[in-house]
Every structure is written in C-alpha cells, then in structure tokens.
Amino acid sequence: MPLVPMKQILDEAMKENYGVGAFNVNNMEQLQGIMSAAKDTASPVIVQASRGALKYTNMYYIKHMVAAAVEDNPEVPISLHLDHGNSLETCKLAISLGFTSVMIDGSLKEDSKTPTTFDENVEVTRAVVDYAHGFGVTVEGELGTLGGIEDGVGSGKVKLTDPDEAVKFIKATGIDALALAIGTSHGAYKFKARPELAMNIISEVRSRVPDTPLVMHGSSSVPKDLVDIVNRYGGAIPDAMGVPIESIQEAIKLGIKKINVDTDGRLAMTGAIRKFLAENPSEFDPRSYFGAARQAVYEVVKGKMIAFGTAGHMGDYKPTTLDEIKKLYAI
Ligand SMILES: [Zn+2]
C-alpha cells in the first residue's frame, strides 16, 4: 500500500467515530515501534514529522525510513504528515519529499512564536490549501493557540478557539482538518492538576461543520508510570501531568479524530534507555538499549491505538491515491 492522504484516514474515522493517533517520528526505532503497534492492532496510522525532525534526519532519512515502513507493512494505511509547518515554503518542501499531508500552523507567524491575526492566518492557510490540493495532499490548519512550547513551537500563551471564528475559518480556507485550542498544552509539563478542557468548543464546531475532522494537539497523557521510570533511573522530571485518556476518549466522541502524541513516546524511550543502561552497566551495543526503547514505544502506541478506538480498522477501506483525491478537490 502506498502512503495514503490523511484525509482518507480521517474521513473513515469520522464514519465510524473513532480517533487516530498521529505519532511523531525522528528515528528508526521510534518508527518501527509505531509500525509494529499498528500492525499488531490492525490500525491505520498517521506518522508525523516536525520541522525539528526534518532537520534532525536531514530530510532524506525521514523520507526513506517512512518508505521502508510502507514496504515493511503493506497492509497498513499510513499517512505521512508535516507537524506545525510554519510557512508555505516548508509545506512545499514536505510535499516535494512525498508527505501526503501538511499542517500549516497559521495561528503563529513564521517564527512559530508570535500569534497572528485571524486574517493573516486565513491568508497563509488558504495559500497552502491552494498549493497542496493541487497534489491531492491533505491540509490541517490551526486556530487559537496552545500553552507550552515544544520543538521551538508555541507562543506560550493559551488562546482558546472561538467556535464562530472556527466555522468562518474552515469555510474561508478550504482546509481538510482543523486543530482546535481547547486548553491543552505542548510538552510534558502541561498541568499542575487534572485539566479542565473546553469540550463545548468541540461540540459546537462539530455541530456547525459536521464534515470537517477536528484535531487535538498537546494530547499526550504523560502517564505517571513512564515518568516514574525516568526518575527512578537517574532522570529529573518533576511532577508532570498530561491529558487523561478518558478526556481524550470523550473528545473523540464529540468530534476529535486526530490526536497528536509526541511527549509520551519521548518519555517511553528515555525511560527504557535509562533503565536498560542502569541495569546492564557493561552493555555497550546500541542495539540493546535502542531495542528496549523501540519496545517501549511499541507498548505506549499500542495502548493508544486501543484506547482511541483505532484498533481493528486497518482493513475497513481500500486505500486511495493522491491522484484520486486531487480529482475530488478539483470538482
Ligand atoms: Zn502541536
């Protein structure tokens, strides 16, 4: 199966009302862990690379690692998505590398720090939609800003999405999916207490724009057991807290279909490597500790695929191609 447009994965998830995790990748073991989880739970999957990941992998490695994942898992629908594209140029680059989906985060300026006005956001998002749809590539936009900063992205300030603006934004830009700010935050230190998320924003946007899949960023759960492993073996991550899985499940029921997960994979890998090296001080074969990290990512991602309801949906549909989607956009 070739890489599929993210639009197909999300539209299918809309039909059956389940969520799909979008997992950040930076290296081979992380990708292998994610793919094994998808295969074993029979789940479609979105793998996403941030600008930081493009830089870290010198672009070509991410491109060819994902090509290897496709070859190794012909039965799994996989979409390759650019996470937090900051400009039309970055989106063009991702499309040239074969990404089947891009996010243009027009909620922030090109510096990925300064919030934009509504009109500035519409303008850059519309330009990306015009370009990407010409290739059949899916576009995710964002309205409102999250808390926290991760991979250099974020204003650090929360601005919840205004549902009226969201409806206007979707219509004005022609985007395929919209990331909402409902009070989540990027990174491991999201909250000091159980977060109150603005679930009403999801319901309201969903009721007025029922065909547009909604996206939740900053939705790692930062499970205590993963944080504890890191800390027990020499790490120093003070009280961290994420979004409880039950809140994500509720959000999925209300209309969230793409759930971004980055931090939990990082914590899992770091904990596994720390633990392995602490317990095996004479070991110096990188395959041993990277293998442990790969297994830890596998466990985390597998749990999410089951919790989000993605498991079992791998064979529900025939994969479409960018060319087929391109024709739909042209109508
Ligand atoms: Zn994000």
Side-chain angles (χ1 to χ4, degrees), residues 83-84 142 146 186 217-218 260:
D83 190 21
H84 287 283
E142 174 162 332
L146 276 72
H186 286 125
H217 282 237
N260 284 14

Side-chain angles (χ1 to χ4, degrees), residues 24 48 83-84 103 105 140 142 146 150 153 179 186 216-218 260:
N24 285 76
Q48 58 183 16
D83 190 21
H84 287 283
M103 176 192 189
D105 182 356
E140 173 187 333
E142 174 162 332
L146 276 72
E150 191 171 42
V153 172
H186 286 125
M216 193 169 168
H217 282 237
N260 284 14

